[in-house]
């Protein structure tokens, strides 16, 4: 899809990254096994697990001990010179500060999304990619053929967090809030089923996305890998580690990435993602509203029956 460059506008103040996500699970040991098997660098720190990627200094996420699996908060990264403008925008939209939502949450400026998810506005270096991620045809291999040798396969290790997808009860309200208040831009949507947002400072097609549900919740975190083979090898790696359930391999329409979603022990997913569309800083992406059949995939296996189940909906 063709995208155009434009001059960066004056009021471009916007979140540039999902700085860190945090969710609670009933068993940290099980979570540690899952994410280490997935290929993340899992560290025991700050009273929970820190999720890192191989060779990258940034902590992308935290997993904390809780009851049932639950999205706890997001911290959103922004540039210091834009903080005042963002806070003014919060004021204009009657978005009031809230208390720090959790004893293990960082200090900072806290607000709530329309669905109640606590958000920390955090001045931080940009952790979302600023250029399109590198594409390898196949993992490096010493043989003459195009395929890597099975005996030379190493553990798939994602390079960075690409995006996070959350459940929310009102897609329109989420788009309005994250765009009008926090400066993100709509990439694409499918009616009121799903919406995908990017940062005008440059990001993947979506650094945050939303799917409709009756309550907020975490659907999946998505992690970049450098080749299509790595998506398939990741699926195999997780099956061998005792996590055979999920969806894919397949390819999305919106965002274009190849995927394999691996179901975690609590019904949410970690996604291996390759070749997602990238929207450079200052570019205009022609946001589309796509029919429901385009909202999920171009090709792939049938969708598992519980793929879009929000396990964080309170039991009545
Ligand atoms: Fe995804």
């Amino acid at each position: 899809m063709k995208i155009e460059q434009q001059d960066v506008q004056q009021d471009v103040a916007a979140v540039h990254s999902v700085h860190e996500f945090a969710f609670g699970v009933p068993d940290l040991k099980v979570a540690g096994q899952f994410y280490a098997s997935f290929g993340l660098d899992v560290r025991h720190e700050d009273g929970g697990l820190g999720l890192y990627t191989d060779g990258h200094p940034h902590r992308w996420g935290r997993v904390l001990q809780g009851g049932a699996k639950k999205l706890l908060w997001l911290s959103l990264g922004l540039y210091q010179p834009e903080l005042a403008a963002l806070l003014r925008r919060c004021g204009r939209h009657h978005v009031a500060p809230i208390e720090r939502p959790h004893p293990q949450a960082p200090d900072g400026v806290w607000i709530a999304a329309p669905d109640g998810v606590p958000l920390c506005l955090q001045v931080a270096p940009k952790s979302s990619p600023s250029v399109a991620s590198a594409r390898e045809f196949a993992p490096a291999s010493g043989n003459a053929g195009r395929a890597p040798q099975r005996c030379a396969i190493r553990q798939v290790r994602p390079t960075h967090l690409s995006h996070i997808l959350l459940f929310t009860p009102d897609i329109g309200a989420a788009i309005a809030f994250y765009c009008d208040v926090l400066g993100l831009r709509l990439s694409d949507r499918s009616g009121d089923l799903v919406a995908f947002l990017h940062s005008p400072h440059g990001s993947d097609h979506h650094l945050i996305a939303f799917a409709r549900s009756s309550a907020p919740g975490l659907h999946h975190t998505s992690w970049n890998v450098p080749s299509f083979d790595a998506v398939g090898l990741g699926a195999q790696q997780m099956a061998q580690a005792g996590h055979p359930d999920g969806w894919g391999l397949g390819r999305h329409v919106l965002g274009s990435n190849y995927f394999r979603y691996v179901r975690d022990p609590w019904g949410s997913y970690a996604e291996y993602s390759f070749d997602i569309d990238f929207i450079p800083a200052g570019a205009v992406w022609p946001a589309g509203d796509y029919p429901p059949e385009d909202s999920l995939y171009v090709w792939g296996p049938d969708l598992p029956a519980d793929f879009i189940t929000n396990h964080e909906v309170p039991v009545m």
Side-chain angles (χ1 to χ4, degrees):
M1 187 174 285
K2 188 174 183 299
I3 53 178
E4 301 167 356
Q5 300 289 327
Q6 69 167 18
D7 294 334
V8 175
Q9 298 169 357
Q10 282 295 315
D11 188 17
V12 74
V15 163
H16 58 55
S17 307
V18 173
H19 182 71
E20 195 170 75
F21 60 82
F23 63 97
V25 299
D27 191 329
L28 279 184
K29 188 175 176 189
V30 171
Q33 186 272 343
F34 178 84
Y35 287 103
S37 299
F38 190 79
L40 301 186
D41 176 6
V42 180
R43 303 181 194 173
H44 294 262
E45 58 187 19
D46 293 345
L49 304 178
L51 301 183
Y52 296 76
T53 46
D54 192 27
H56 198 300
H58 187 67
R59 184 171 70 185
W60 307 101
R62 294 172 71 184
V63 189
L64 302 175
Q65 183 68 48
K69 190 268 294 181
K70 181 177 171 57
L71 175 66
L72 296 175
W73 72 81
L74 296 182
S75 87
L76 302 173
L78 52 101
Y79 294 123
Q80 173 71 57
E82 298 183 357
L83 176 60
L86 282 166
L87 293 178
R88 280 196 299 275
R89 241 190 260 150
C90 287
R92 282 203 302 276
H93 289 269
H94 309 290
V95 176
I98 62 168
E99 294 291 316
R100 189 168 64 112
H102 190 281
Q104 290 169 271
D107 289 321
V109 178
W110 285 91
I111 59 176
D115 57 11
V117 171
L119 305 172
C120 182
L121 302 181
Q122 193 153 5
V123 173
K126 187 172 184 288
S127 54
S128 65
S130 293
V131 295
S133 298
R135 294 186 289 187
E136 296 174 7
F137 182 71
S141 183
N143 61 317
R146 290 186 173 183
Q149 287 178 265
R150 189 171 177 88
C151 65
I153 288 169
R154 296 181 178 172
Q155 188 192 33
V156 172
R157 306 278 281 166
T159 60
H160 58 267
L161 178 75
S162 170
H163 58 268
I164 184 166
L165 190 144
L166 306 180
F167 289 112
T168 194
D170 188 333
I171 295 287
I175 293 171
F177 174 79
Y178 283 89
C179 293
D180 296 347
V181 180
L182 298 181
L184 298 182
R185 293 182 183 168
L186 180 66
S187 308
D188 292 303
R189 70 189 293 177
S190 179
D192 288 324
L193 294 176
V194 290
F196 303 89
L197 307 181
H198 67 277
S199 170
H201 292 303
S203 76
D204 286 346
H205 173 273
H206 42 287
L207 51 67
I208 188 165
F210 296 95
R212 189 178 62 192
S213 173
S214 60
L218 170 66
H219 180 267
H220 74 264
T221 58
S222 179
W223 304 85
N224 182 74
V225 292
S227 68
F228 185 52
D229 283 282
V231 178
L233 290 168
Q236 175 178 266
Q237 172 176 308
M238 289 303 276
Q240 290 172 345
H243 303 285
D245 297 330
W247 184 42
L249 285 58
R251 191 174 197 189
H252 287 302
V253 178
L254 308 180
S256 301
N257 53 312
Y258 299 90
F259 63 80
R260 166 66 187 179
Y261 292 86
V262 185
R263 192 184 196 277
D264 74 15
W266 306 283
S268 46
Y269 294 85
E271 179 187 16
Y272 292 108
S273 170
F274 167 61
D275 208 19
I276 193 168
D277 292 320
F278 182 79
I279 304 177
V284 175
W285 181 270
D289 188 353
Y290 288 76
E293 67 187 280
D294 282 342
S295 66
L296 287 164
Y297 60 146
V298 188
W299 57 263
D302 291 344
L303 200 67
D306 66 345
F307 186 71
I308 311 180
T309 300
N310 182 359
H311 296 278
E312 298 180 42
V313 173
V315 178
M316 302 303 285

